[in-house]
């Protein structure tokens, strides 16, 4: 699925240089489950942002689905993310003005899925995770455990 070789990420300001990741190698195969663990400040979020192509490495190689992505333009990275990556953010990033159903359906809108197919798939996934009865609620009306 992806390989990272000698991947580094350095953040620079006018006065400070912080190495968040230093020449890491990581392989993750399709279907493999990986836990990224470590103490605060060790680079977990930086690594996840690089894996998800939300940030770019300072150096090294990142091959995703057989293609080098380190150095791609933001538009190309957005295309890869749209087609191949899903995110569940710690802060959830739900749209407060939308219902739970509309939030679930939103990704399908970005992929131009027809309305009838969006409804079928949204209903199925909400039922599968046990939140179909909350479809008309707003995110603020759910407990944190219901957001996951």
């Amino acid at each position: 699925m992806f390989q990272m070789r000698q991947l580094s990420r350095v953040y620079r300001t006018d006065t400070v240089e912080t190495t968040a990741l230093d020449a890491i190698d990581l392989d993750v195969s399709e279907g493999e489950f990986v836990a990224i663990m470590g103490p605060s400040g060790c680079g977990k979020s930086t690594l996840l942002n690089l894996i998800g192509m939300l940030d770019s490495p300072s150096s090294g190689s990142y091959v995703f689905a057989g293609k080098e992505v380190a150095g791609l333009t933001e538009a190309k990275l957005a295309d890869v993310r749209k087609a191949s990556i899903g995110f569940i953010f710690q802060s959830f990033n739900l749209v407060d003005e939308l219902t739970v159903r509309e939030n679930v359906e939103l990704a399908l809108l970005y992929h131009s899925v027809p309305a009838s197919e969006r409804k079928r798939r949204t209903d199925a996934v909400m039922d599968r995770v046990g939140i179909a009865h909350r479809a008309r609620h707003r995110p603020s009306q759910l407990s944190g455990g219901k957001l996951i």
Side-chain angles (χ1 to χ4, degrees):
M1 185 165 176
F2 71 83
Q3 301 83 38
M4 295 177 160
R5 294 289 175 264
Q6 296 295 298
L7 206 72
S8 296
R9 180 61 171 109
V10 178
Y11 296 98
R12 292 180 178 88
T13 66
D14 290 338
T15 57
V16 178
E17 183 176 285
T18 303
T19 300
L21 296 174
D22 189 13
I24 67 158
D25 292 332
L26 176 64
D27 291 351
V28 176
S29 300
E30 187 169 339
E32 185 175 8
F33 287 88
V34 177
I36 299 171
M37 302 177 350
S40 178
C42 73
K44 298 180 302 289
S45 293
T46 299
L47 178 58
L48 289 171
N49 284 332
L50 290 173
I51 291 170
M53 299 174 217
L54 298 173
D55 194 4
S56 297
S58 301
S59 63
S61 171
Y62 177 17
V63 176
F64 181 86
K67 296 180 183 173
E68 176 65 52
V69 296
L72 288 180
T73 67
E74 185 53 45
K76 294 284 186 190
L77 291 171
D79 289 342
V80 175
R81 282 192 303 266
K82 181 180 172 184
S84 303
I85 297 177
F87 295 96
I88 301 174
F89 292 96
Q90 186 172 356
S91 60
F92 305 114
N93 291 346
L94 298 174
V95 180
D96 291 333
E97 294 78 19
L98 300 180
T99 65
V100 171
R101 163 181 264 296
E102 291 165 335
N103 270 283
V104 171
E105 187 178 17
L106 193 56
L108 298 173
L109 281 169
Y110 294 142
H111 287 281
S112 303
V113 174
S116 60
E117 177 69 5
R118 283 196 318 266
K119 179 178 178 357
R120 184 192 68 73
R121 290 171 64 178
T122 300
D123 288 346
V125 76
M126 290 183 68
D127 189 52
R128 184 174 180 187
V129 298
I131 60 169
H133 64 290
R134 303 270 191 226
R136 293 189 182 137
H137 287 76
R138 303 276 181 206
S140 63
Q141 295 173 302
L142 302 176
S143 70
K146 295 289 189 276
L147 294 173
I148 297 175

